[in-house]
Amino acid sequence: MNRTAMRASQKDFEDAMNQVKLLKKDPGNEVKLKLYALYKQATEGTCNMPKPGVFDLINKAKWDAWNALGSLPKEAARQNYVDLVSSLSPSLESSSQVEPGTDRKSTGFETLVVTSEDGITKIMFNRPTRKNAINTEMYHEIMHALKAASKDDSIITVLTGNGDYYSSGNDLTNFTDIPPGGVEEKVKNSAILLREFVGCFIDFPKPLIAVVNGPAVGISVTLLGLFDAVYASDRATFHTPFSHLGQSPEGCSSYTFPKIMSPAKATEMLIFGKKLTAGEACAQGLVTEVFPESTFQKEVWTRLKAFAKLPPNAVRISKEVIRKREREKLHAVNAEECSVLQGRWLSDECTNAVVNFLSRKSKL
Ligand SMILES: CCCCCCCCCC/C=C\CC(=O)SCCNC(=O)CCNC(=O)[C@H](O)C(C)(C)COP(=O)(O)OP(=O)(O)OC[C@H]1O[C@@H](n2cnc3c(N)ncnc32)[C@H](O)[C@@H]1OP(=O)(O)O
């Protein structure tokens, strides 16, 4: 069958939407407007929105692109969308062969489920049997997903966990995979990876929201200081046992935590490893609001959907105004924390703690 005779299925269309997020190169504004217009036409039909005002430049450009499609049928728009994405990414057709049972919305990710709807991109940690511990692949995939989310049509981005944990932090088996260059090379590369990873959170341009569905440990806690809002189930706990692990604070927490919760309270968490309940974390300002587990998902997602209806430009510009003064400082803190951690990872204190965990002699 030639392409014009083909009709893209809903599955092809969803695959194409996911593929757009994985594009390595920004396709440029003109193509992005075409994609937007075809997507709206395919999902909602003929443009039925009021024309935005002349000063709302971005939304006016989007409206113009959608309106220009006139009464193009939904099926044709869907096919044109798939064809356009396919022309941007030659690998689309082969990657649409997804293993049975794989969540189609997360095509391309091994450790995450990434979905985008109602103006919200949701990045869900998806290693529930490992308590969503972050292995090297997951560090890379989170960075990839954040970069895609920063450029997509969504208004807000949400991180959450699949299963009973939000995340148990760094996967301690990351310490076991020593390359031919030896442990020094491993430590150096790990510090580069960590710095780049945390940098993605510092620079993220849209509101970043954590939906903390259960216990959070280590780096998954420290990063919360870089989020714009943190909603937690009353089942969640917040634990940064760095001294117990022979390590030191990261994720800019050496700077953000004393500011958020006072130096003394930050000391209890970051040096003495005090585990906070969700209520305590809220009282300290790390968590925005706590919800009962029984209504957590419903209440939080209702609220987030309302946030995602706000005018996109106002939301993005407001985040920039609030965050920009601190960005340079945060990058400097991040660099210093990573440099200190390199030394810690080579210490006997750290080695012993990791060996004890991996040989099942210790748990938090
Ligand atoms: C030199 C190279 C360094 C490379 C580093 C790269 C960049 C790192 C940057 C960040 C640095 C550090 C920050 C941190 O995050 S420190 C915090 C690290 N996390 C932990 O110490 C948690 C360890 N886990 C536990 O203590 C427990 O598992 C738990 C979380 C309290 C849950 O206990 P549980 O009884 O409810 O469940 P359990 O049976 O233990 O867990 C199920 C299986 O999952 C495995 N698992 C859980 N968490 C981790 C983890 N963080 N790392 C590796 N594996 C984990 C657990 O072992 C179980 O597996 P199995 O069924 O026994 O095989």
Side-chain angles (χ1 to χ4, degrees):
M1 223 179 344
N2 67 35
R3 286 206 71 79
T4 44
M6 277 171 67
R7 278 287 164 264
S9 66
Q10 181 61 24
K11 182 164 71 66
D12 294 332
F13 184 52
E14 281 174 13
D15 282 347
M17 283 191 278
N18 284 320
Q19 196 68 23
V20 167
K21 291 185 211 135
L22 300 175
L23 288 174
K24 294 210 164 58
K25 216 174 118 216
D26 187 328
N29 285 341
E30 201 181 323
V31 173
K32 283 196 278 191
L33 277 175
K34 264 193 201 150
L35 285 169
Y36 167 81
L38 288 168
Y39 168 82
K40 295 293 274 184
Q41 191 85 5
T43 53
E44 295 178 37
T46 303
C47 179
N48 54 3
M49 303 237 307
K51 190 171 181 174
V54 279
F55 296 113
D56 188 357
L57 295 178
I58 294 178
N59 281 320
K60 185 168 173 304
K62 286 170 144 184
W63 186 91
D64 286 339
W66 183 10
N67 194 46
L69 295 179
S71 56
L72 183 74
K74 281 185 174 180
E75 294 73 12
R78 195 160 69 183
Q79 179 68 59
N80 291 353
Y81 183 97
V82 170
D83 287 345
L84 178 54
V85 176
S86 166
S87 73
L88 300 171
S89 160
S91 62
L92 174 63
E93 299 204 341
S94 58
S95 73
S96 66
Q97 305 293 320
V98 177
E99 299 272 320
T102 307
D103 186 324
R104 301 203 63 82
K105 293 179 177 166
S106 67
T107 307
F109 293 107
E110 284 292 321
T111 66
L112 306 174
V113 175
V114 181
T115 50
S116 203
E117 59 183 341
D118 298 327
I120 303 172
T121 291
K122 177 168 90 168
I123 300 172
M124 184 163 70
F125 309 134
N126 192 32
R127 300 184 74 218
T129 57
R130 319 303 294 171
K131 308 293 178 192
N132 296 323
I134 309 176
N135 61 7
T136 307
E137 186 174 21
M138 194 156 155
Y139 283 110
H140 285 287
E141 289 194 347
I142 293 170
M143 287 194 277
H144 194 131
L146 284 174
K147 282 176 191 156
S150 72
K151 294 191 197 123
D152 70 15
D153 270 347
S154 64
I155 314 299
I156 58 176
T157 300
V158 173
L159 265 73
T160 191
N162 187 14
D164 61 342
Y165 259 65
Y166 175 68
S167 168
S168 62
N170 184 46
D171 189 316
L172 296 176
T173 65
N174 285 338
F175 286 90
T176 58
D177 171 26
I178 305 298
V183 73
E184 271 80 12
E185 182 186 309
K186 169 82 185 179
V187 159
K188 195 167 137 231
N189 290 340
S190 299
I192 292 170
L193 170 67
L194 180 60
R195 185 170 167 187
E196 192 189 347
F197 178 72
V198 174
C200 287
F201 287 81
I202 297 172
D203 289 333
F204 195 72
K206 302 176 183 178
L208 193 55
I209 305 204
V211 171
V212 186
N213 54 298
V217 183
I219 189 160
S220 73
V221 177
T222 53
L223 286 173
L224 297 176
L226 299 172
F227 279 62
D228 301 296
V230 178
Y231 297 116
S233 156
D234 58 9
R235 246 179 18 84
T237 52
F238 299 82
H239 194 186
T240 49
F242 298 127
S243 301
H244 299 72
L245 293 166
Q247 297 184 43
S248 50
E250 29 60 354
C252 295
S253 57
S254 63
Y255 179 69
T256 57
F257 278 30
K259 279 185 84 164
I260 291 169
M261 58 181 73
S262 88
K265 293 290 182 188
T267 296
E268 281 202 312
M269 277 195 87
L270 296 176
I271 303 182
F272 301 134
K274 181 177 177 187
K275 189 198 284 187
L276 301 192
T277 63
E280 287 166 340
C282 191
Q284 301 306 339
L286 183 62
V287 164
T288 313
E289 193 169 334
V290 182
F291 297 82
E293 171 66 11
S294 55
T295 56
F296 175 58
Q297 296 290 345
K298 189 161 179 282
E299 288 196 63
V300 168
W301 288 104
T302 303
R303 185 176 299 194
L304 295 178
K305 281 179 190 169
F307 290 167
K309 290 202 172 75
L310 291 166
N313 297 336
V315 167
R316 190 186 268 259
I317 288 166
S318 298
K319 164 144 184 179
E320 177 64 11
V321 169
I322 293 168
R323 295 279 171 178
K324 71 174 177 191
R325 268 170 245 101
E326 289 284 51
R327 207 168 286 134
E328 205 178 318
K329 173 74 184 171
L330 289 168
H331 281 296
V333 170
N334 182 25
E336 192 185 349
E337 288 177 348
C338 292
S339 158
V340 172
L341 259 175
Q342 278 196 66
R344 287 283 82 215
W345 288 332
L346 291 170
S347 72
D348 287 346
E349 290 176 348
C350 178
T351 308
N352 292 339
V354 172
V355 168
N356 283 340
F357 174 75
L358 295 177
S359 58
R360 307 287 184 267
K361 282 195 202 132
S362 72
K363 253 187 207 184
L364 294 175

